[in-house]
Structure formats: structure tokens, C-alpha cells
Amino acid sequence: MEEGQRSPACKIGELAKRFGVNVRTLRYYEEIGLLPAARLESGYRAYSEEDAQRLRFVLKAKRAGFSLEEIQTILRLGRHGKACDYVRDAVARHISTLDAQIAELTALRAELLAVQARQRGDDAAVFPRWSGGDIGGGSEGDGPRAVGQYAHGRRDP
């Protein structure tokens, strides 16, 4: 095989199965330039081990919270050896976002634990903070009554 050519490792279905993704996902990644595919004479997409490593990076970056646009930028800058600053800044942004989400979820967990500890069946007493509509930006009528009607499997008039 000539230098610069990639030896195909597998077809699209095999790669999808290997990484637990949908074939449509791989086609989409090809369409947006994230995962280029070689074509066999038969027209089938063929992926090398290098392509598989690229897909592994894309999937890990997605799990870490990077958008596909950010991943494209990292890959583009990485080809020119200039991704470090961008990645460092993006990682810092993602850590900050995760910290805020963790704090929000921790506060919600504490609220739910308190609710669980004092469950009495009196929705207004169980959900006092929610009665003002401060959850989800709802109106005052969206407080404990709205929660109660679904939690108890009924819709009150």
C-alpha cells in the first residue's frame, strides 16, 4: 500500500457496533466532517484504526460535555498543533458549568431529602418553598397542587 493511504479496518456497521453507536450517527459525523470515511470500490464506507481512534476521541469529548462544534475546532486546531490553549479554556468552561450543575443538584437533593423526611400527605406543608412557583418558573398555581395532582395519580379540578 502506498504511503499516506490508510488501510481499512472495518465497515460502518462494524465500527458502530464496536463503539455502541448508531450507524446514522457515524453517517452524520461524516457529513459534518468529524469522521471522514474512505470508500471501497463497492461504495461501502471503510474505517481505519486511526478513524476508530478519532471516533473514540469524539465520543469521550461528547461525554465530557463538549459540543460537536467544539470537538471540530479541537480536531482542526490539533492538526496544526494549536489546540492546547483552546482545549485548556474549553475544559475550564466545562468544569465551571459542571460545578454549577453539581451545586444546583446538591441543593435539589437536600430539598428532596427534607421533603422525604417530613412526608405527611399535606402537600402545602410538604412543599412550602414550591408554593410560590419558584420551581421551573411556573405561576403560583403550579406549586404543590400541580405537583400533588400528578404525584397522587389524579388531577384535581
Side-chain angles (χ1 to χ4, degrees), residues 47-65:
Y47 297 93
S48 68
E49 190 54 37
E50 179 183 323
D51 298 326
Q53 295 305 316
R54 183 179 179 114
L55 177 60
R56 179 174 284 114
F57 169 78
V58 168
L59 296 174
K60 281 184 178 183
K62 279 187 61 186
R63 277 194 306 276

Side-chain angles (χ1 to χ4, degrees), residues 88-123:
R88 191 177 1 265
D89 293 343
V91 166
R93 281 193 311 273
H94 285 280
I95 289 171
S96 178
T97 300
L98 286 173
D99 287 344
Q101 289 173 339
I102 289 168
E104 192 176 309
L105 288 171
T106 300
L108 179 59
R109 182 179 189 275
E111 257 188 74
L112 290 174
L113 286 171
V115 167
Q116 185 181 45
R118 64 177 187 262
Q119 279 183 332
R120 297 188 304 223
D122 177 8
D123 289 346

Side-chain angles (χ1 to χ4, degrees), residues 8 10-13 27 37-47:
C10 58
K11 292 180 185 173
I12 193 168
R27 288 186 188 125
R39 295 287 181 150
L40 300 174
E41 286 183 26
S42 62
Y44 288 111
R45 290 170 177 86
Y47 297 93

Side-chain angles (χ1 to χ4, degrees), residues 12 15-17 19-36 45 47 55 58-59 62 68:
I12 193 168
L15 188 67
K17 185 175 181 179
F19 285 93
V21 297
N22 194 301
V23 168
R24 288 184 305 224
T25 300
L26 297 182
R27 288 186 188 125
Y28 178 69
Y29 288 172
E30 179 184 9
E31 181 183 317
I32 64 172
L34 269 180
L35 187 65
R45 290 170 177 86
Y47 297 93
L55 177 60
V58 168
L59 296 174
K62 279 187 61 186
L68 293 179

Side-chain angles (χ1 to χ4, degrees), residues 77-90:
L77 292 172
R79 285 192 300 266
H80 305 293
K82 299 178 181 181
C84 290
D85 290 338
Y86 179 83
V87 171
R88 191 177 1 265
D89 293 343

